[in-house]
Amino acid sequence: LVDDLLLLARMGAAPVRRAEVDLLAVVDRAVADSRAHAADARPVTVAVSGHGHADGDAAALARVVRNLVDNAVRHAASRVQVHVADGCVGVDDDGTGVAAADRERVFERFVRLDDARERESGGSGLGLAIAREIAREHGGDVVLGTSPLGGLAATLRLPPPDAAEAARRA
């Protein structure tokens, strides 16, 4: 909790270190970490598709993706789908979702929804606040919606990689 608060307090104090980031590698690492630290015995299947890159700080973007994947796994009924593209990581789950009226409120510090976010499920109510702050520092955002799986869709949007770099990779 203290580390999360310190991270939020330091945001904006220094410019973002930018390099090309392989978003699929970031997602793969986040999924592996989520599986390793899952406190829940429920089996949740996590499928990853696509590939893409973005410009930014790899460690910071990994924190965002890890927060989104951890939330999805924690609240999914049985499935999480992660989609990767240039400048975008989408995380869908088949849980109960978040009501449209609460989708902005959950980005506030310490907000936990009563019905979907029981105390026993873990979390401090800072994960989405941190994710959005990091994304915005990178010139992007995290937005929430309804997942095609029936639960929550959390999407990290970032400026796509430099067009010249994208052409070089193609």
Side-chain angles (χ1 to χ4, degrees):
L1 177 64
V2 172
D3 289 338
D4 289 345
L5 287 170
L6 288 172
L7 175 67
L8 282 166
R10 285 191 305 264
M11 286 201 195
V16 173
R17 292 174 296 184
R18 297 206 177 263
E20 184 174 326
V21 176
D22 179 341
L23 292 175
L24 180 57
V26 168
V27 166
D28 286 342
R29 200 168 37 248
V31 169
D33 288 350
S34 183
R35 286 181 176 144
H37 297 104
D40 198 334
R42 291 177 306 111
V44 174
T45 301
V46 180
V48 178
S49 63
H51 55 85
H53 293 82
D55 290 325
D57 179 320
L61 295 178
R63 177 75 180 258
V64 174
V65 172
R66 190 172 56 250
N67 285 357
L68 298 180
V69 169
D70 284 349
N71 280 345
V73 168
R74 185 180 305 126
H75 300 290
S78 64
R79 277 183 358 170
V80 172
Q81 175 68 49
V82 184
H83 310 276
V84 181
D86 279 342
C88 183
V89 175
V91 182
D92 294 310
D93 70 57
D94 66 349
T96 58
V98 173
D102 291 325
R103 288 186 190 145
E104 283 302 309
R105 191 168 71 88
V106 296
F107 288 106
E108 295 173 16
R109 296 173 187 187
F110 303 111
V111 168
R112 294 170 48 119
L113 301 180
D114 294 334
D115 53 350
R117 311 281 193 231
E118 301 94 19
R119 292 279 175 222
E120 300 83 45
S121 68
S124 63
L126 291 174
L128 288 175
I130 289 169
R132 177 169 264 179
E133 288 295 320
I134 292 171
R136 287 183 171 175
E137 272 195 326
H138 282 76
D141 205 354
V142 174
V143 295
L144 304 178
T146 301
S147 166
L149 300 178
L152 185 66
T155 305
L156 167 61
R157 295 183 182 147
L158 298 163
D162 182 324
E165 285 297 315
R168 181 186 58 78
R169 283 194 318 272

